[in-house]
Amino acid sequence: MTTLASPPETLDVLDPSTGEPIATVEIGDADAAVRAARAAAPAWARTAAAERAERLKAGARRLREHVDQLAELQSREGGKPLADSRGGIEAGIGAIEQYAELGPLHRGKALQGGWNATDVMVHEPRGVVALLVPWNDPVAIACGQIAAALVAGNAVVFKPSEKTPLSGARIVELLDIPGGALQLLQGDARVGRPLAAHPDVDLVMHTGSVQTGREIADVVAGRMGKALLELGGKDALIVDADVDPAWAAEQAALGAYANAGQICTSVERIYVHEAVAEPFVEALARAADGWTIGPLIDARQREVVHAHVTDAVERGARLVRGGAVPDGPGFFYPPTVLVGGDRDAPVLREETFGPVAAVQVVTSFDEALALADDTEYGLAATVLTKNPEHAQRAVRELAVGTVKINAVFGGAPGGAAEPARLSGSGFGYGPELLDELTRTKVVHMGIAP
Ligand code: NAD
């Protein structure tokens, strides 16, 4: 990202595959966006949930008519291969449709009080919700969160990542929510900070890095506000002694290299049993050779990834594949395989967010499980095993939001988890997100004598 002139008024958007600027975006005013959302909030909250849902469904239809255009935009500014981009956008539109169905069904509870009293629990909109969205799957994440917040009756200030502002702006145009209930705010941390700190924001939902999440948690706690934090991870993959190493290597490559390793639940650490380690690493190296990936998001991200790899090699890891910054334009980095080395190296401790498969060979499942759990993060983990007892132990003993047995990605619709440890707090997905985005009030109605 280029350095901005002061005072900042615009942001350059770069194409990660060339490093060249493709657009300039005007930086917004957080206070103005919050005030506009606040002004729109009462009317939107009074709109029937079914009508809010109809607006969202109409928006989803418009998005569907423009999938190709959105995919192209997201690929240009975010570097995703076009097919991946399309997949993310389809998922995002699906999430809007799901929340449009779920929103009007989001019910309170009737309680058992005195015979002549009525006691109920009702969900109310929180008011103004600020959404701070990252760049790595920007349309999918934004669509789900915007839809959930709006259908629950909140007005929304949506701040796309400064790296993917074009697709963000297009979503807002196509959704076309009336009355100002959906405000677009463009910019980086310089508008993200005042947005998160704004006293008139009732809930901040931040999906992004732990570092930013910490700052937001502090500022929101200071005003007794609520923050939903969906942050980074350092997901482990355990390869047990009894699995087919070639299949395990396919899973590892998919987990480590999909979206060039820039997924919150990318596989970042691999613990493979010594019984299958050799054929596993050989197959993983072949998979790395055959993997085509897009560029990383920017030069800074590539520096972080390369620093982790270089440091790991200095600390004794064997570089089996990749590990070199290629010549030429753009922010490309090759699929990389590392084996062994210091278990306290940043490549095994901090989020790398790049196409790096960092493999450690272990002598038992116990050792693998202990190492997998020895982390500050708690987003997700995967275990490849045929042993049901090992699978059960992984489910019980790993402090993560999501445990996956025998598949690095996937899961049933509606699955929602609370991240553990530094990976965040609160439900960021699924029907439970509607609980988070509403305030629960209990009502007791008695009869006057
Ligand atoms: P980031 O935290 O830098 O930025 C996320 C959003 O917050 C952006 O809109 C950004 O402009 C804004 N922001 C940045 N600094 C801010 C500040 N000080 N105050 C307020 N707002 C600020 O994260 P990123 O680099 O865009 O995204 C990558 C990270 O997101 C990775 O760590 C990844 O694991 C994580 N992620 C998590 C999930 C999840 O569901 N857990 C999903 C996707 C990505």
Side-chain angles (χ1 to χ4, degrees):
M1 188 61 59
T2 49
T3 313
L4 293 164
S6 180
E9 287 170 338
T10 59
L11 277 169
D12 282 342
V13 186
L14 305 188
D15 178 342
S17 65
T18 63
E20 296 298 325
I22 50 170
T24 302
V25 169
E26 254 181 54
I27 292 180
D29 176 342
D31 184 55
V34 174
R35 277 190 280 116
R38 175 58 65 195
W44 185 249
R46 278 186 227 122
T47 304
E51 195 183 326
R52 296 195 295 254
E54 282 310 315
R55 301 282 186 179
L56 286 167
K57 284 183 193 167
R61 283 194 293 275
R62 286 188 290 275
L63 283 163
R64 244 183 227 302
E65 286 161 14
H66 293 84
V67 168
D68 290 335
Q69 184 202 47
L70 269 168
E72 226 164 88
L73 214 50
Q74 185 181 246
S75 286
R76 268 205 97 194
E77 64 183 354
K80 268 179 195 291
L82 207 54
D84 290 2
S85 230
R86 243 193 115 92
I89 288 158
E90 299 276 3
I93 296 169
I96 298 175
E97 290 165 345
Q98 283 175 358
Y99 281 118
E101 294 296 331
L102 286 171
L105 303 180
H106 188 227
R107 293 175 249 211
K109 288 178 186 160
L111 306 172
Q112 299 291 339
W115 72 271
N116 61 348
T118 303
D119 293 79
V120 291
M121 289 162 72
V122 293
H123 298 297
E124 292 184 341
R126 287 189 178 271
V128 173
V129 168
L131 300 176
L132 298 156
V133 173
W135 48 265
N136 67 320
D137 203 359
V139 174
I141 293 172
C143 283
Q145 296 181 357
I146 289 171
L150 284 174
V151 82
N154 302 289
V156 171
V157 178
F158 161 48
K159 198 198 83 54
S161 167
E162 62 278 16
K163 293 163 196 168
T164 51
L166 305 178
S167 55
R170 193 71 184 118
I171 295 170
V172 173
E173 277 169 12
L174 290 168
L175 281 177
D176 193 19
I177 300 299
L182 176 58
Q183 295 290 323
L184 175 70
L185 175 63
Q186 296 284 23
D188 53 18
R190 286 166 294 178
V191 297
R193 275 197 187 101
L195 175 62
H198 203 290
D200 222 11
V201 167
D202 298 287
L203 180 141
V204 179
M205 182 164 188
H206 169 248
T207 309
S209 68
V210 169
Q211 192 190 357
T212 306
R214 264 207 178 105
E215 199 179 319
I216 290 172
D218 278 352
V219 72
V220 170
R223 63 169 195 273
M224 306 303 162
K226 184 172 166 87
L228 284 180
L229 302 168
E230 303 298 318
L231 309 177
K234 191 72 197 167
D235 288 9
L237 170 71
I238 295 177
V239 180
D240 209 353
D242 58 0
V243 299
D244 172 7
W247 166 73
E250 282 168 24
Q251 288 289 307
L254 178 64
Y257 303 146
N259 204 29
Q262 302 170 115
I263 303 175
C264 52
T265 52
S266 287
V267 167
E268 296 237 341
R269 302 176 288 147
I270 299 168
Y271 300 108
V272 57
H273 195 283
E274 60 183 357
V276 289
E278 209 182 301
F280 170 80
V281 171
E282 279 169 16
L284 183 55
R286 282 195 300 276
D289 290 338
W291 210 277
T292 310
I293 50 180
L296 301 183
I297 187 70
D298 60 15
R300 206 189 121 264
Q301 187 55 33
R302 185 165 70 171
E303 280 163 23
V304 170
V305 173
H306 192 52
H308 280 195
V309 172
T310 313
D311 168 273
V313 172
E314 279 166 12
R315 292 174 187 236
R318 181 161 60 91
L319 183 64
V320 176
R321 285 294 186 281
V325 175
D327 291 334
F331 310 122
F332 291 90
Y333 200 80
T336 295
V337 180
L338 292 168
V339 180
D342 183 354
R343 288 180 174 171
D344 286 325
V347 79
L348 293 168
R349 292 273 164 209
E350 297 165 17
E351 191 178 45
T352 304
F353 227 51
V356 180
V359 181
Q360 290 279 322
V361 179
V362 296
T363 56
S364 68
F365 184 75
D366 278 2
E367 187 188 4
L369 206 54
L371 287 169
D373 200 43
D374 180 17
T375 173
E376 291 188 296
Y377 293 89
L379 207 52
T382 304
V383 178
L384 306 180
T385 184
K386 287 181 180 162
N387 183 327
E389 190 199 332
H390 287 179
Q392 293 284 5
R393 283 192 55 202
V395 170
R396 276 197 307 272
E397 293 177 32
L398 292 174
V400 290
T402 305
V403 180
K404 292 164 282 181
I405 308 294
N406 294 327
V408 284
F409 294 130
E418 291 183 84
R421 296 175 174 155
L422 292 186
S423 290
S425 60
F427 287 101
Y429 308 87
E432 287 78 3
L433 179 54
L434 295 173
D435 297 339
E436 302 276 20
L437 292 166
T438 46
R439 183 180 288 106
T440 304
K441 182 179 271 179
V442 69
V443 183
H444 168 69
M445 278 188 285
I447 293 173

